[in-house]
Amino acid sequence: MDTDSATRTAAWREQMDAAARRFARSAEERDEVTRKRKATESDVVDTDEQIIARADRLFTSGEVPVQAAVDLGRQEPLDTIGSLERIIGFANDLQAVNFLTRGARAAAAVARITLTHNSREVPMGTGSLVSPQLLLTNNHVLPTADKAESVVIEFGAEAGIDNQHTPVTKYRLAPNDLFVTNKHLDYTLVRVAPGPDGVAPGATFGWNRLIADTGKIVVGEAMNVIGHPQGRLKEISIRDNRLDLQLDDFLHYTSDTEPGNSGSPVFNDQWEMVALHHAGVPKKDDTGRMLRKDGKVWQSGDGDDAIHWVANEGVRVSVLLRDLGKQSFDPAQRRLLDELGPDAGLSAETVVADVTAPAPQHISAVEAAVVRGVQGRPSAFGGRRSVVFLHGRSQQGRDPADLRRAWTAGLNKGLTLADLSPIDPADVHFPFYGDQLVASLGARESVVDTGSELYESLVAEAARRAGMPSAGDVATDPIAEERFGGFGSVVLGRVRDQLGWIAARSGLDSLLIGAIFKDVAAYLDDERVRKGVLDTVLADMPVGGEVILVSHSLGTVVAMDLLTQLPRELDVRLLVTAGSPLGLDGVYGKLLSGGASRPERVGEWLNTWYAGDPIAIGCPLRPAWGNDLRDLPVDNPKERAHDIAEYLAHAAVAATIGRTLSA
């Protein structure tokens, strides 16, 4: 065995021994899981907090068939842990046919890591793209930047649909650009250098997003592992894998994996990455010696295949991300990390406020610490053009620089997919009116009175456009009654409630939808609020040249008013509206322009919308605003229907911005 192989083996066995110690210490927790399973006659068991978070994630993402919830709701209320466990079990056992195609998409981003040594290539592990340019694997696979420089990353090392050989695409790593590692958590995150064509690997093979949120899996659910065991062609382990225990930093699960699977992504059935596989747990005797499958003490000459494996261990994705978030990076590295996207939680949320966060307190303008926006570099884009991002509601208390990075990360993903150059967040103007909006609202009750005539009319119009029938129609419509009536607010809310109907059609929380409409109504209904917002935005706008104005949600309404206030020296070359409520009669009728009249000073207007976005009810905009604009429908993930990063990450949206910048 050469020195490199011996070092890798020692590092792997060190991780294996640590996993075995954690397994031994958690015996009581495993016994408790066994007891719960017997008591509930269900494989799916976990803490109440985990069960609720998991059920909520499945419901809001549309992964639970409505009929299943209806059927169970008729038997018992859907507000008990037992009923939610059964719903999760149902979703776990019955998969839609797209389970296979989604799995193939996830597998495409998984690569074999091969060491090049003395003109030989020796497979040594697995890695997975988690952004267009970043690869995630284990510390014991790539412990140092020097080691990372000596390996080749191979995509497509797998059998084709008819077992034919498929072409393998090889990349080198660029650890000098980004290399982050942690021995305890056994992960390494490293940049992959572009191919000979200069294109990032994610543009060809895609990537598997890292998600910081909880609720991705609970004990008893299936897990799917994709990797290159023993350096073989890519393999997948499915269906016989189950999560057995959640520890603080690690997950324990049963699975048929082998040593070459080190660095493999571990997925739930929705193909969300839940863990980074790193070690098997061997069975040991009372003195700590590893045992073979035949019960005898394992010897080094027996080979790893002879070991009696009792479990596998993976590093929790949420813990890995939390560790990343504690570290400092230079601006270039931060831009690479921003490509992980807002779900990674490494920068401020881009769009929608957390509905569990406390509502803004009643504060006066004097009491409020109003944070100002950030301006782009004057030399950006040749000094002739400026990019301006105009945010939506509920950004109070956030850092505008963090928000700017998160928006730019979404845009840069789209630019990468469109084969265009990314931009630097520091080149973007980000006017910030989040604190000013709350300060201007002052003592108004809950942002705006729920009895506000404008607020009620906006919600009513949105519900009608979403196809909400009248109460009489529901009573006589068995399909509507069956789908939405009578099984509690945990799933979709009451059918007769307008916000509940919009939420049911979109997948977003009704409280969140209502809060957005409340802020739109407050802005349009109170001239003091409107003036405070516009004055704040104008203070951080560029003073001359061409402008690309990208707006989102309430920001699209502010943008339309802003166009009547900008100095003549500014040429609005491109206006982008995303997730906009400008199609509602009650919105455009209250604008400073007095109606749906296309601003003459705007060159090109791109409006992008997703049919499942409840705030974009009324899109496309052309029926109200005329044909002299481009409506671009996109397909956002349902759970992030209103997310600005998702809108900007679409290649067609980003390409419009990128081409205007380079024209």
Side-chain angles (χ1 to χ4, degrees):
M1 181 182 294
D2 59 37
T3 303
D4 278 340
S5 296
T7 301
R8 290 198 309 275
T9 299
W12 170 65
R13 288 184 177 160
E14 183 179 352
Q15 293 292 344
M16 182 178 62
D17 288 340
R21 290 192 294 271
R22 286 187 285 268
F23 186 83
R25 290 196 299 266
S26 61
E28 290 186 6
E29 289 93 329
R30 291 196 307 280
D31 289 343
E32 177 63 14
V33 168
T34 301
R35 185 196 66 75
K36 284 185 177 180
R37 283 174 170 165
K38 289 181 179 179
T40 61
E41 299 182 350
S42 171
D43 286 335
V44 176
V45 296
D46 215 314
T47 64
D48 290 357
E49 180 183 17
Q50 290 283 358
I51 290 292
I52 292 171
R54 181 64 177 141
D56 180 65
R57 188 167 186 85
L58 287 170
F59 280 131
T60 56
S61 63
E63 299 291 345
V64 177
V66 171
Q67 188 60 49
V70 171
D71 290 344
L72 185 57
R74 287 170 174 162
Q75 302 169 26
E76 58 181 295
L78 287 181
D79 56 0
T80 65
I81 296 300
S83 62
L84 295 181
E85 287 173 341
R86 281 184 278 283
I87 283 289
I88 295 170
F90 184 93
N92 184 62
D93 292 336
L94 186 63
Q95 295 300 319
V97 70
N98 68 359
F99 174 83
L100 300 175
T101 53
R102 290 161 80 177
R105 179 176 62 187
V110 178
R112 182 167 60 191
I113 300 176
T114 299
L115 177 68
T116 57
H117 181 69
N118 293 332
S119 301
R120 295 173 55 237
E121 293 188 350
V122 181
M124 54 183 292
T126 302
S128 172
L129 286 175
V130 292
S131 83
Q133 305 182 72
L134 297 181
L135 183 91
L136 182 66
T137 187
N138 291 140
N139 165 274
H140 77 262
V141 173
L142 295 179
T144 66
D146 288 344
K147 182 63 66 178
E149 287 185 331
S150 66
V151 303
V152 170
I153 309 302
E154 299 177 305
F155 292 93
E158 57 194 68
I161 193 169
D162 294 314
N163 286 324
Q164 77 276 19
H165 289 291
T166 60
V168 175
T169 305
K170 298 183 179 182
Y171 291 82
R172 288 284 186 175
L173 296 178
N176 289 335
D177 297 336
L178 183 82
F179 183 87
V180 187
T181 194
N182 182 305
K183 185 175 180 180
H184 167 66
L185 296 178
D186 198 17
Y187 80 84
T188 291
L189 186 68
V190 58
R191 182 176 183 247
V192 183
D197 55 2
V199 176
T204 302
F205 302 101
W207 59 91
N208 295 308
R209 293 181 300 108
L210 298 181
I211 303 171
D213 288 347
T214 59
K216 295 187 291 294
I217 197 165
V218 294
V219 170
E221 280 195 275
M223 306 175 78
N224 309 300
V225 186
I226 302 176
H228 290 275
Q230 300 287 8
R232 296 192 297 267
L233 295 181
K234 191 180 299 176
E235 296 179 7
I236 181 170
S237 176
I238 60 174
R239 312 323 304 156
D240 288 334
N241 317 319
R242 300 278 167 170
L243 177 61
D244 293 328
L245 194 64
Q246 299 201 53
L247 304 179
D248 288 342
D249 295 343
F250 301 91
L251 300 180
H252 283 172
Y253 45 94
T254 54
S255 173
D256 293 328
T257 58
E258 298 181 43
N261 273 90
S262 292
S264 296
V266 183
F267 301 96
N268 62 16
D269 273 348
Q270 289 70 51
W271 297 102
E272 297 171 324
M273 189 172 171
V274 299
L276 173 67
H277 179 76
H278 85 122
V281 178
K283 185 177 179 61
K284 294 189 175 185
D285 63 14
D286 293 341
T287 63
R289 296 176 299 178
M290 288 193 299
L291 299 178
R292 302 189 319 192
K293 294 174 182 177
D294 61 7
K296 296 180 180 179
V297 174
W298 180 85
Q299 304 294 329
S300 59
D302 293 336
D304 298 329
D305 291 344
I307 298 174
H308 182 180
W309 303 104
V310 293
N312 281 280
E313 185 178 80
V315 186
R316 298 179 68 159
V317 164
S318 56
V319 173
L320 181 158
L321 287 170
R322 189 161 63 241
D323 182 71
L324 270 177
K326 295 176 181 177
Q327 303 184 46
S328 299
F329 301 95
D330 64 37
Q333 293 172 330
R334 172 57 62 184
R335 287 194 292 273
L336 286 170
L337 290 171
D338 282 344
E339 292 184 358
L340 293 173
D343 287 332
L346 298 182
S347 55
E349 287 291 330
T350 55
V351 222
V352 208
D354 182 354
V355 297
T356 63
Q361 298 298 310
H362 299 160
I363 55 177
S364 69
V366 175
E367 295 170 321
V370 176
V371 175
R372 292 286 300 276
V374 288
Q375 296 187 344
R377 290 185 288 218
S379 60
F381 313 115
R384 298 184 300 113
R385 296 190 178 105
S386 302
V387 175
V388 177
F389 290 157
L390 195 52
H391 66 80
R393 70 171 297 276
S394 194
Q395 304 302 306
Q396 66 271 13
R398 300 176 185 238
D399 184 344
D402 284 345
L403 290 170
R404 180 174 64 173
R405 279 196 298 271
W407 279 54
T408 308
L411 176 59
N412 282 343
K413 176 181 177 181
L415 290 171
T416 300
L417 294 174
D419 200 20
L420 295 172
S421 299
I423 67 173
D424 190 328
D427 289 337
V428 176
H429 291 259
F430 198 95
F432 181 72
Y433 63 87
D435 288 352
Q436 179 61 50
L437 176 63
V438 174
S440 297
L441 291 173
R444 292 174 67 101
E445 181 66 28
S446 187
V447 183
V448 68
D449 295 339
T450 55
S452 160
E453 182 178 348
L454 177 58
Y455 166 69
E456 292 181 356
S457 69
L458 291 180
V459 173
E461 183 180 355
R464 287 196 304 272
R465 290 175 184 261
M468 180 178 179
S470 66
D473 291 336
V474 173
T476 58
D477 184 346
I479 296 177
E481 177 63 28
E482 179 181 1
R483 290 190 66 190
F484 301 112
F487 57 89
S489 61
V490 172
V491 186
L492 297 173
R494 294 174 300 144
V495 68
R496 289 181 172 84
D497 176 72
Q498 294 160 334
L499 288 173
W501 176 271
I502 301 170
R505 299 300 290 267
S506 67
L508 289 186
D509 187 273
S510 61
L511 293 177
L512 175 60
I513 299 167
I516 295 174
F517 279 122
K518 287 176 184 177
D519 280 3
V520 172
Y523 171 83
L524 293 171
D525 230 9
D526 190 322
E527 291 307 312
R528 180 174 54 86
V529 174
R530 190 191 316 237
K531 185 178 186 304
V533 168
L534 288 175
D535 287 349
T536 302
V537 172
L538 282 166
D540 287 315
M541 289 292 292
V543 295
E546 296 178 352
V547 174
I548 297 171
L549 179 57
V550 183
S551 57
H552 174 244
S553 192
L554 172 61
T556 67
V557 181
V558 176
M560 205 54 64
D561 280 349
L562 183 69
L563 292 171
T564 69
Q565 309 287 305
L566 291 177
R568 294 172 183 245
E569 292 77 15
L570 278 178
D571 175 17
V572 183
R573 183 78 177 273
L574 171 66
L575 170 66
V576 178
T577 50
S580 173
L582 285 170
L584 293 173
D585 299 346
V587 171
Y588 62 70
K590 287 274 191 175
L591 295 172
L592 292 179
S593 61
S597 176
R598 189 189 189 284
E600 294 182 0
R601 69 182 305 159
V602 170
E604 182 181 358
W605 182 358
L606 172 68
N607 178 64
T608 181
W609 59 287
Y610 164 50
D613 183 345
I615 308 308
I617 297 295
C619 284
L621 295 186
R622 291 178 69 180
W625 289 84
N627 294 331
D628 195 14
L629 66 89
R630 179 186 173 202
D631 273 316
L632 178 62
V634 295
D635 186 16
N636 290 342
K638 190 174 182 181
E639 68 273 19
R640 295 182 303 282
H642 191 57
D643 194 315
I644 183 57
E646 294 294 342
Y647 276 114
L648 295 178
H650 289 283
V653 176
T656 301
I657 299 171
R659 284 194 293 266
T660 305
L661 271 175
S662 60

